[in-house]
Amino acid sequence: MKKKLLSLGLVTLLAVGLAACSGSKTAKDKDSKNEENKTLVVGASPTPHAEILEKAKPLLKEKGYDLEVKVFQDYVLPNKALAEKELDANYFQHIPYLEKEIKDKKYDFANAGAIHLEKMAFYSKSVKKPTDVKDGATVLVSNSQTDWGRVITMLQDADLVKVKEGTDLVNATFDDIEENPKNLKFKYDIDPAILTTAYQNDEGDLIAINANFAENIQLNPEKDGVIVEKDNSPYANVIATRTDDKDDERVKALIEVLHSKEIKDFINEKWNGTISVVD
């Protein structure tokens, strides 16, 4: 009988010990998860996105969250990394690009909030104003199809082309151009990152360059652009998340910070009109 009681006691102690260890492990896992959830990992283009996020770090910290910024040099990997859960969000793309990525690649993404607009402009070493464009001039545009409607709109606003009636300008392609009175020659197979090199080498009469790349070679759309995108453009840059994480408190806090007066003042002062803040 004594042996049975002793055995029962040992079993009870062992069970209590295992439960304690299990409870301790669960608590540690929970603490680790809570700590992990205080950090928001965001992928971004170097300029201006990563710079804006770096400025936002201390402001987000005040709200109880740490911000980790991962810089990407291209437009493909940030969405791939978000889909594979290497990121919590990304900040590099405008709305039409995000919508096309979702449609083409079946990404389960959401637009968590618009932050800023980077003004697109046409630059030239030989042309000073649209009326100076010569017959047969070469127009260089990026291979990003979501920007084609954008640049075609700018060319139409400058009276250099006219698209077919009823064309959705956001989704317009060069096949939608109905009138081309100056016989412009379009080349639209160029990586957006090397359009600045094409400009520096004077490889085209008009070269469409987005503000984040133009800024790298000290070009300002308002000062240096031959044709400049209007302020009512639908190409605002956004914070993108996986759909399930759109309402994540960390993401909401980041959006709030990026819409703060401190960040707006920073953007206006640093980029002086090159970038417009979206309310």
Side-chain angles (χ1 to χ4, degrees), residues 42-265:
V42 181
S45 296
T47 301
H49 309 79
E51 292 180 68
I52 294 171
L53 290 175
E54 289 295 334
K55 190 70 176 179
K57 273 186 179 182
L59 300 175
L60 193 61
K61 184 70 173 178
E62 290 175 8
K63 293 182 176 292
Y65 301 109
D66 292 315
L67 178 59
E68 182 182 338
V69 181
K70 290 189 175 181
V71 177
F72 292 82
Q73 300 292 340
D74 75 331
Y75 288 167
V76 177
L77 292 178
N79 278 338
K80 185 173 183 291
L82 181 60
E84 294 175 355
K85 299 187 177 181
E86 295 172 11
L87 304 171
D88 298 308
N90 66 39
Y91 177 34
F92 77 99
Q93 60 197 326
H94 55 55
I95 295 170
Y97 184 86
L98 172 62
E99 291 175 346
K100 190 172 189 304
E101 285 278 279
I102 291 171
K103 181 181 177 181
D104 292 351
K105 299 178 181 176
K106 311 303 180 188
Y107 285 138
D108 190 12
F109 289 172
N111 171 2
I115 308 303
H116 75 267
L117 171 68
E118 298 172 19
K119 287 189 177 180
M120 175 82 78
F122 280 97
Y123 298 91
S124 176
K125 287 187 175 291
S126 58
V127 177
K128 299 301 180 186
K129 53 185 185 294
T131 52
D132 292 339
V133 177
K134 296 178 180 179
D135 189 88
T138 300
V139 180
L140 304 186
V141 177
S142 87
N143 59 9
S144 176
Q145 189 172 342
T146 55
D147 277 335
W148 293 354
R150 190 177 189 179
V151 298
I152 290 168
T153 299
M154 292 164 62
L155 291 169
Q156 179 164 267
D157 288 342
D159 295 323
L160 291 174
V161 301
K162 187 175 180 180
V163 300
K164 300 170 188 173
E165 189 175 347
T167 299
D168 174 11
L169 285 172
V170 171
N171 297 308
T173 71
F174 293 93
D175 291 334
D176 293 313
I177 294 175
E178 186 173 59
E179 296 180 21
N180 181 10
K182 293 205 173 186
N183 301 302
L184 302 178
K185 298 174 182 176
F186 299 103
K187 187 173 182 182
Y188 41 88
D189 59 353
I190 305 169
D191 187 294
I194 64 172
L195 283 167
T196 50
T197 303
Y199 166 79
Q200 290 172 318
N201 293 339
D202 196 16
E203 295 175 19
D205 298 291
L206 287 174
I207 303 176
I209 306 176
N210 207 315
N212 62 321
F213 292 117
E215 199 264 344
N216 290 335
I217 57 170
Q218 287 75 56
L219 286 177
N220 182 298
E222 299 294 353
K223 295 177 182 177
D224 307 305
V226 178
I227 305 170
V228 183
E229 184 173 27
K230 293 182 177 179
D231 287 330
N232 61 354
S233 168
Y235 290 84
N237 280 233
V238 301
I239 296 290
T241 65
R242 292 179 294 279
T243 302
D244 289 344
D245 297 330
K246 182 180 178 182
D247 296 321
D248 187 304
E249 292 303 319
R250 298 168 300 166
V251 174
K252 287 183 176 180
L254 177 63
I255 299 295
E256 187 176 336
V257 163
L258 292 176
H259 285 159
S260 68
K261 184 178 184 301
E262 291 91 335
I263 295 300
K264 288 181 181 180
D265 289 346

